[in-house]
Amino acid sequence: MPTIWVDADACPVVIKEIICRAANRTQTPAVFVANQSISLPKSKHIKMLQVSSGFDVADDTIVERVVNGDIVITSDIPLAAEVLEKQALVITSRGERYTQDNIKARLNMRDFMETMRASGIQSGGPAALNHGDRQAFANALDRLLTKTQKI
């Protein structure tokens, strides 16, 4: 049985709700890792793991604990790259899959955009989550849970 690991500090509330419903429906453990306490429904399948504050403490905790076949939910590209090395599955809060085939390109684009921002170019942030994004996430999570439970 896989565990769902959630990089919870930046995870939108609506995505947390979808994860909790999916964890309960499929009886899959879900661990929300964050620097601060977050409100979660009471369930034997859902846990909050509060870590100390500090740069990448939550990310490092997820990397340390994730195992082959687990599902990680994050939009943090460096974190995604690290857990992919441990054979975990990764999706973003918009339902996009990060894989060994696309993670290097994502890291390169992230580094390029960081360089552009450092030079003063404003790129803006991502658009707000819309209904299509929420549906794409729910569908992607459902597919991964179905896939991992067949193994």
Side-chain angles (χ1 to χ4, degrees), residues 55-68:
F55 188 70
D56 287 341
V57 175
D59 296 357
D60 293 343
T61 301
I62 292 170
V63 171
E64 176 183 305
R65 295 177 181 216
V66 73
V67 297
N68 182 348

Side-chain angles (χ1 to χ4, degrees), residues 2-139:
T3 297
I4 302 168
W5 294 95
V6 184
D7 183 9
D9 284 321
C11 186
V13 171
V14 67
I15 299 303
K16 290 175 191 170
E17 293 168 356
I18 293 168
I19 296 164
C20 291
R21 285 195 304 269
N24 283 323
R25 185 182 74 250
T26 62
Q27 300 180 5
T28 303
V31 181
F32 290 77
V33 183
N35 299 112
Q36 55 194 350
S37 182
I38 57 173
S39 177
L40 295 170
K42 296 228 182 284
S43 167
K44 66 180 181 179
H45 306 293
I46 301 166
K47 293 181 188 173
M48 168 68 205
L49 178 57
Q50 186 172 351
V51 297
S52 60
S53 58
F55 188 70
D56 287 341
V57 175
D59 296 357
D60 293 343
T61 301
I62 292 170
V63 171
E64 176 183 305
R65 295 177 181 216
V66 73
V67 297
N68 182 348
D70 282 353
I71 299 168
V72 176
I73 299 167
T74 186
S75 295
D76 184 315
I77 298 168
L79 171 59
E82 287 189 74
V83 299
L84 283 169
E85 289 177 16
K86 295 183 84 173
Q87 306 302 306
L89 305 168
V90 183
I91 57 173
T92 70
S93 57
R94 296 178 187 273
E96 182 181 2
R97 279 281 310 271
Y98 287 146
T99 65
Q100 290 292 351
D101 294 333
N102 68 17
I103 196 65
K104 288 195 184 350
R106 303 287 182 196
L107 282 167
N108 287 338
M109 180 56 75
R110 175 192 170 274
D111 292 345
F112 172 73
M113 295 305 289
E114 200 169 272
T115 301
M116 297 296 285
R117 284 189 294 274
S119 68
I121 296 175
Q122 298 298 318
S123 62
L129 281 180
N130 61 38
H131 179 72
D133 295 326
R134 293 188 295 270
Q135 189 65 49
F137 173 79
N139 291 340

